[in-house]
Amino acid sequence: MTQPTDAAGPTKAAGEAPPMRSGRQLLAASVGNAVEWYDWLAYTFLATFIADEIFPASAGNSLVPLLSTFAVFAVGFFMRPIGGLLLGAIADRRGRRAALTATILLMGGSSLLLALTPTYAAAGLLGPVVLVIARLLQGLSVGGEFAAATTFLVESAGPGRRGFFSSFQYVSTTVGQLIASGITALLVASIDDGAMHQWGWRAAFLLGAVLSLVGFWIRRGSQETRSAEQQAAPRPGLFEALRTHPRESLLICGITTGATIAYYTWTSYLPTYAQVNVGFDKGDSLLIGTISLAFFALLQPLGGLLSDRVGRKPLLLTFSVGFAVLCVPLLNSITTSFTSLLLVQCAGMVLLTGYTSIAAAVNAEVFPARVRAAGIGFPYSATVALFGGTAPYMGTLFKDLGRPGAFPWYVAVLCLISALVYLKLPEGANKTLDR
């Protein structure tokens, strides 16, 4: 690590460079990730406006446009594994910074495309086609973002700080979600319904495109984390991680299974679950969701710092065993009381932090540097699509089948499966990260 001394440069300046570089690395990963998730989640919050403008109403069912809009959302979700594989491969072949630049430009371009999507009344079927293309590009971008940002964050950390750096992945993800929710609420409160349908929802995506340029500028000043030896080595093939590390790929699936269902249940679906199952007030449930997300973001660095001191496994087991044991009583204890839902959601956020605050570090410690990004990206995104993306659907399905009480057990069983994986997982906190 010792560099030749520049006679013109003072020793103090050389010593100050690493902290400044670390801060820039954190900023580059975090700001970009927040912008990515703002763009990705704004679609969900604006779905009703998009439905009215882009999809033709059905004479027989007024829900057809909204259902079509959410179908496009699902298509984007299942593009994420492809993004994890393709952009993860770029990170392993061309560098982490190159992949992060590609993901944010891809997200910015797709957000601009969403903002410019023609209405069905103006262009017929061209509107839905453009919408689908934009959403496919967003899915590719988000899938690649996790792979590249995970690798970049953890490789940027100094000794004994990987957990802390790792925590900023979910800090920035949550900030992006809060900004998307806040911008949507501000637009709805500031302009009338007609203007919201005409241009308001487009303004939210246009803002996302502008923010992507800001993220691109910040990321351009970041430092590549691959070692010189790795950059000089032969480039890995697209499927090399899956072919040469099948056990590690399955391990990522096991690590993620319980965590993703718990994450999407507690951060996205819980307000709807409370509305559907106990008749909770819609406005109050959304307010509680916002409060608990802010609380969740504050917890992440604390979890990361703790893992650097006590290890990853104690936190992972606290999360998984805690959810396996407490998920059913927590969800069954929700009443129409504001306090009950707030306590349940915040309690789940505390347990969930045992995984989310260190997810990047845990995943990065599984694969060698040569195939780290692609090795993480594909199995992680595929597992999220299979279990996390379907959480609202499964909760609604159990309700429609007359078995709403089965959904908490479904979550608990998946968390128990991950707990068994964590028991066998080698402790990585004190491990020297392969670069």
Side-chain angles (χ1 to χ4, degrees):
M1 295 296 291
T2 303
Q3 302 293 329
T5 302
D6 186 346
T11 305
K12 183 179 179 181
E16 289 174 351
M20 292 176 64
R21 187 163 56 246
S22 296
R24 186 63 182 252
Q25 299 290 88
L26 269 181
L27 185 66
S30 300
V31 172
N33 198 44
V35 170
E36 288 268 344
W37 282 93
Y38 165 81
D39 288 339
W40 173 254
L41 293 167
Y43 182 96
T44 307
F45 294 116
L46 296 163
T48 55
F49 302 103
I50 296 172
D52 291 342
E53 297 300 310
I54 306 301
F55 292 99
S58 167
N61 190 345
S62 61
L63 287 178
V64 166
L66 185 58
L67 289 172
S68 300
T69 306
F70 279 123
V72 176
F73 177 81
V75 168
F77 221 103
F78 280 90
M79 287 299 291
R80 287 175 61 175
I82 299 174
L85 179 63
L86 295 179
L87 289 160
I90 290 175
D92 290 331
R93 291 168 63 86
R94 300 284 183 179
R96 320 311 189 199
R97 198 177 74 155
L100 288 173
T101 300
T103 61
I104 203 159
L105 288 177
L106 190 59
M107 183 59 81
S110 55
S111 291
L112 181 60
L113 192 59
L114 280 168
L116 300 176
T117 300
T119 65
Y120 185 83
L125 289 175
L126 179 62
V129 169
V130 171
L131 186 72
V132 169
I133 292 172
R135 197 59 187 172
L136 290 174
L137 293 175
Q138 283 195 323
L140 284 171
S141 176
V142 168
E145 174 70 16
F146 184 90
T150 291
T151 307
F152 180 84
L153 269 173
V154 177
E155 289 179 348
S156 296
R161 302 190 73 196
R162 289 201 300 266
F164 176 67
F165 271 55
S166 170
S167 69
F168 281 86
Q169 183 149 49
Y170 276 90
V171 170
S172 54
T173 296
T174 305
V175 168
Q177 187 172 356
L178 288 169
I179 293 173
S181 175
I183 292 295
T184 303
L186 180 63
L187 285 169
V188 171
S190 302
I191 61 179
D192 60 48
D193 190 64
M196 191 67 199
H197 278 82
Q198 185 177 8
W199 60 266
W201 66 272
R202 298 179 186 274
F205 290 116
L206 188 60
L207 174 62
V210 173
L211 291 175
S212 294
L213 291 177
V214 176
F216 169 72
W217 176 76
I218 293 173
R219 284 185 167 180
R220 282 192 66 192
S222 63
Q223 183 180 354
E224 177 55 49
T225 61
R226 291 195 310 164
S227 66
E229 291 83 357
Q230 187 186 347
Q231 294 178 50
R235 293 172 180 170
L238 182 62
F239 297 100
E240 184 169 329
L242 291 171
R243 189 183 73 252
T244 60
H245 299 277
R247 179 183 176 278
E248 287 81 358
S249 299
L250 289 173
L251 191 58
I252 295 292
C253 294
I255 289 169
T256 308
T257 296
T260 189
I261 183 73
Y263 175 78
Y264 279 96
T265 298
W266 247 258
T267 63
S268 302
Y269 180 57
L270 200 57
T272 303
Y273 179 87
Q275 294 165 34
V276 170
N277 288 280
V278 302
F280 204 92
D281 179 78
K282 183 177 181 180
D284 284 348
S285 68
L286 294 175
L287 174 60
I288 289 169
T290 302
I291 294 170
S292 61
L293 279 173
F295 173 65
F296 181 62
L298 294 174
L299 289 175
Q300 300 311 298
L302 300 178
L305 286 168
L306 182 61
S307 81
D308 286 331
R309 294 181 65 88
V310 305
R312 320 290 187 225
K313 289 183 70 171
L315 272 73
L316 291 172
L317 289 170
T318 298
F319 147 70
S320 55
V321 174
F323 261 102
V325 173
L326 297 175
C327 181
V328 174
L330 281 174
L331 291 181
N332 288 341
S333 68
I334 296 174
T335 68
T336 55
S337 161
F338 186 96
T339 304
S340 79
L341 181 57
L342 179 62
L343 290 176
V344 166
Q345 193 147 15
C346 286
M349 296 302 196
V350 173
L351 291 174
L352 193 56
T353 297
Y355 166 79
T356 54
S357 64
I358 56 173
V362 170
N363 287 324
E365 288 160 0
V366 169
F367 278 95
R370 175 178 166 79
V371 292
R372 181 170 289 137
I376 294 169
F378 181 75
Y380 171 84
S381 295
T383 307
V384 169
L386 184 61
F387 294 105
T390 59
Y393 173 81
M394 293 302 296
T396 305
L397 177 64
F398 283 126
K399 175 69 174 177
D400 288 344
L401 293 175
R403 301 293 300 275
F407 180 70
W409 286 103
Y410 171 68
V411 177
V413 169
L414 291 180
C415 288
L416 182 59
I417 291 172
S418 284
L420 297 176
V421 174
Y422 301 151
L423 281 172
K424 298 289 186 180
L425 188 69
E427 178 57 67
N430 299 317
K431 168 185 172 183
T432 299
L433 191 70
D434 171 49
R435 296 184 185 278

